[in-house]
């Protein structure tokens, strides 16, 4: 290999001797035997090193393959119709998870219906292997969607999706295993503007057992900025996008199955947002939300902070209600005393 001593001009142009060495190869070799081995983040970084590599790293066929291997559901014809000529932008919008620290929606934004339908591109992975992939369409213009609580169901009640996950009797061990090995991607695609956003925490933020059915509820969640209307005491509301995967099958040593995969949006009081308000939040995160790499476990820590804010908000609301109740009782007592006094003297 050539000696590695970048010249001043190379440094000024952001180049390196590694870049120079690679570019001595034929472009077909670089594209076929080197760039095809890179993941999306590494390929995007390589595109920033030089103008020549940028031209090679932005080839549509490379990004098509990366999107298909990262999200098998993205190969569905319904998704391909939307992103067929710009897989690189789709990857940028959807990978890896959402960082939603943008300002709340403006009043003008609230009143806008952004699209006639939403496309859900969903993949569930167990130990980094896809075990479930599905694409679902949700219409957004009728009253059936806009006014009831926002909810997307991917499986019918009678469906049971088999998995290679084995049930073990020790719940703590099973919960830990699922938190480390069961990951999920839920990409919402807006066909009209060809925008996408990944509304999953990737790793679970909680795993719980239903005391009645003994089914396991694996929860993924992203916390997003809401609306002033939902932040009664905090000055700014937060909205939780909740994805729930319900697993059944309690036979020790047997394989578990997926019973439900759903998405909902809830405010800080745990109330479900309607479809119309959910569209407003989706529009805002598509425009202002940013993807971040994040370390494993960061999503769970962030969700626990959100739960702490919910508890603080609830405590504050209860204190205010207690003060109001005491004021009402004191006022009633004073009025009663005043009434007795007037009656005694007259």
């Amino acid at each position: 290999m050539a000696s590695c001593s970048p010249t001043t001009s190379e440094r000024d142009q952001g180049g390196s001797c590694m870049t120079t060495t690679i570019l001595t190869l034929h472009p077909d070799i670089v594209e076929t035997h080197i760039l095809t081995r890179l993941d999306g983040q590494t390929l995007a970084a390589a595109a920033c090193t030089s103008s020549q590599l940028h031209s090679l790293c932005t080839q549509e066929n490379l990004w098509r393959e990366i999107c298909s291997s990262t999200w098998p559901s993205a190969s569905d014809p319904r998704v391909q119709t939307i992103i067929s000529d710009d897989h690189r932008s789709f990857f940028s919008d959807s990978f890896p998870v959402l960082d939603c620290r943008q300002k709340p929606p403006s009043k003008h934004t609230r009143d806008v219906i952004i699209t006639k339908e939403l496309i859900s591109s969903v993949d569930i992975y167990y130990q980094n292997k896809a075990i479930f992939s599905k694409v679902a369409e949700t219409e957004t213009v009728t009253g059936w969607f806009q006014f009831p609580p926002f909810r997307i169901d991917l499986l019918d009640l009678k469906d049971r999706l088999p998995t290679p996950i084995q049930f073990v009797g020790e719940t703590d061990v099973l919960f830990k295993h699922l938190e480390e090995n069961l990951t999920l991607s839920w990409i919402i695609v807006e066909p009209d503007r060809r925008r996408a956003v990944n509304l999953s925490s990737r790793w679970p933020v909680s795993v719980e057992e239903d005391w009645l059915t003994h089914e396991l509820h694996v929860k993924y969640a992203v916390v997003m900025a809401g609306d002033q209307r939902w932040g009664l005491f905090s000055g700014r509301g937060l909205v939780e996008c909740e994805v729930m995967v319900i697993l059944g099958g309690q036979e020790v040593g047997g394989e578990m199955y997926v019973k439900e995969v759903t998405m909902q949006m809830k405010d800080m009081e745990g109330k479900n947002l309607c479809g119309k308000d959910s569209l407003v939040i989706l529009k805002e995160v598509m425009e202002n939300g940013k993807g971040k790499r994040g370390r494993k476990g960061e999503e769970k820590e962030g969700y626990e902070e959100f739960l702490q804010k919910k508890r603080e908000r609830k405590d504050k609301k209860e204190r205010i209600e207690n003060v109001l109740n005491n004021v009402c009782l004191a006022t009633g007592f004073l009025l009663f005393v005043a009434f007795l006094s007037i009656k005694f003297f007259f």
Side-chain angles (χ1 to χ4, degrees):
M1 183 176 290
S3 62
C4 205
S5 301
T7 64
T8 302
S9 61
E10 285 176 333
R11 287 194 293 268
D12 292 341
Q13 295 173 4
S16 67
C17 36
M18 179 62 72
T19 302
T20 304
T21 303
I22 291 177
L23 292 178
T24 60
L25 301 174
H26 192 279
D28 290 344
I29 296 177
V30 175
E31 181 178 348
T32 305
H33 298 285
I34 298 178
L35 300 184
T36 54
R37 300 175 182 270
L38 304 182
D39 60 22
Q41 276 199 316
T42 308
L43 187 64
C48 300
T49 57
S50 72
S51 58
Q52 294 94 326
L53 273 180
H54 181 271
S55 177
L56 293 174
C57 292
T58 53
Q59 295 295 319
E60 183 64 20
N61 62 309
L62 290 175
W63 289 101
R64 182 185 301 108
E65 180 60 31
I66 285 176
C67 288
S68 298
S69 60
T70 306
W71 306 290
S73 61
S75 299
D76 186 279
R78 287 168 289 183
V79 179
Q80 283 298 309
T81 299
I82 302 169
I83 66 171
S84 59
D85 58 348
D86 199 358
H87 286 78
R88 186 164 172 251
S89 294
F90 178 77
F91 184 90
S92 177
D93 286 343
S94 307
F95 184 86
V97 292
L98 188 66
D99 184 11
C100 304
R101 288 176 283 191
Q102 77 281 359
K103 62 183 180 179
S106 63
K107 184 178 185 301
H108 174 71
T109 305
R110 285 185 210 136
D111 301 328
V112 177
I113 298 177
I114 60 174
T115 183
K116 296 180 180 179
E117 68 174 352
L118 298 174
I119 306 294
S120 294
S121 178
V122 184
D123 299 281
I124 301 177
Y125 312 84
Y126 177 64
Q127 296 180 337
N128 297 322
K129 295 181 180 179
I131 61 172
F132 172 79
S133 296
K134 185 169 183 179
V135 172
E137 301 171 348
T138 305
E139 66 83 18
T140 62
V141 295
T142 67
W144 291 102
F145 172 86
Q146 293 188 27
F147 302 109
F150 174 82
R151 181 184 175 97
I152 300 177
D153 291 276
L154 294 185
L155 295 175
D156 294 331
L157 294 177
K158 60 182 179 180
D159 291 340
R160 291 189 176 186
L161 175 71
T163 74
I165 305 171
Q166 289 192 340
F167 180 81
V168 295
E170 300 84 357
T171 55
D172 292 341
V173 175
L174 181 58
F175 289 1
K176 179 82 171 173
H177 180 76
L178 292 175
E179 287 181 353
E180 293 179 349
N181 294 281
L182 193 67
T183 56
L184 180 141
S185 168
W186 191 311
I187 301 173
I188 294 287
V189 184
E190 182 193 337
D192 294 345
R193 295 187 304 163
R194 298 192 174 190
R195 295 298 303 272
V197 63
N198 199 330
L199 292 178
S200 171
S201 55
R202 191 177 181 188
W203 284 285
V205 296
S206 70
V207 180
E208 298 178 351
E209 182 180 15
D210 186 275
W211 67 272
L212 182 61
T213 63
H214 300 291
E215 296 169 340
L216 299 186
H217 291 206
V218 186
K219 182 176 180 179
Y220 305 80
V222 170
V223 179
M224 303 174 287
D227 193 327
Q228 296 287 354
R229 294 173 295 173
W230 301 315
L232 299 178
F233 303 104
S234 63
R236 167 175 164 160
L238 294 174
V239 172
E240 171 192 357
C241 181
E242 172 191 284
V243 176
M244 188 69 72
V245 176
I246 298 181
L247 299 174
Q250 289 81 33
E251 182 180 350
V252 177
E255 293 183 343
M256 307 190 72
Y257 58 86
V258 178
K259 185 178 179 180
E260 288 186 33
V261 183
T262 61
M263 173 184 284
Q264 300 181 81
M265 287 196 184
K266 300 180 179 180
D267 62 17
M268 294 192 70
E269 294 183 351
K271 298 178 181 178
N272 290 79
L273 269 62
C274 67
K276 185 177 181 180
D277 287 337
S278 298
L279 283 181
V280 174
I281 301 300
L282 287 174
K283 180 181 190 304
E284 197 69 20
V285 298
M286 284 182 179
E287 292 181 351
N288 298 317
K290 297 180 180 179
K292 63 175 182 178
R293 178 70 179 181
R295 56 180 173 81
K296 188 174 182 179
E298 184 177 351
E299 297 90 348
K300 187 173 182 179
E301 293 173 2
Y303 183 70
E304 289 174 350
E305 292 178 4
F306 168 70
L307 294 180
Q308 179 61 31
K309 291 180 181 179
K310 286 181 65 175
R311 287 190 290 267
E312 293 173 355
R313 185 178 186 276
K314 182 179 179 181
D315 292 342
K316 188 172 184 179
K317 184 177 180 180
E318 289 178 349
R319 288 196 299 270
I320 293 175
E321 290 176 347
N322 289 335
V323 170
L324 292 176
N325 289 336
N326 292 333
V327 170
C328 290
L329 290 173
T331 302
F333 177 75
L334 291 176
L335 291 175
F336 179 71
V337 171
F339 174 75
L340 291 180
S341 300
I342 294 173
K343 186 175 181 181
F344 177 76
F345 287 108
F346 295 96

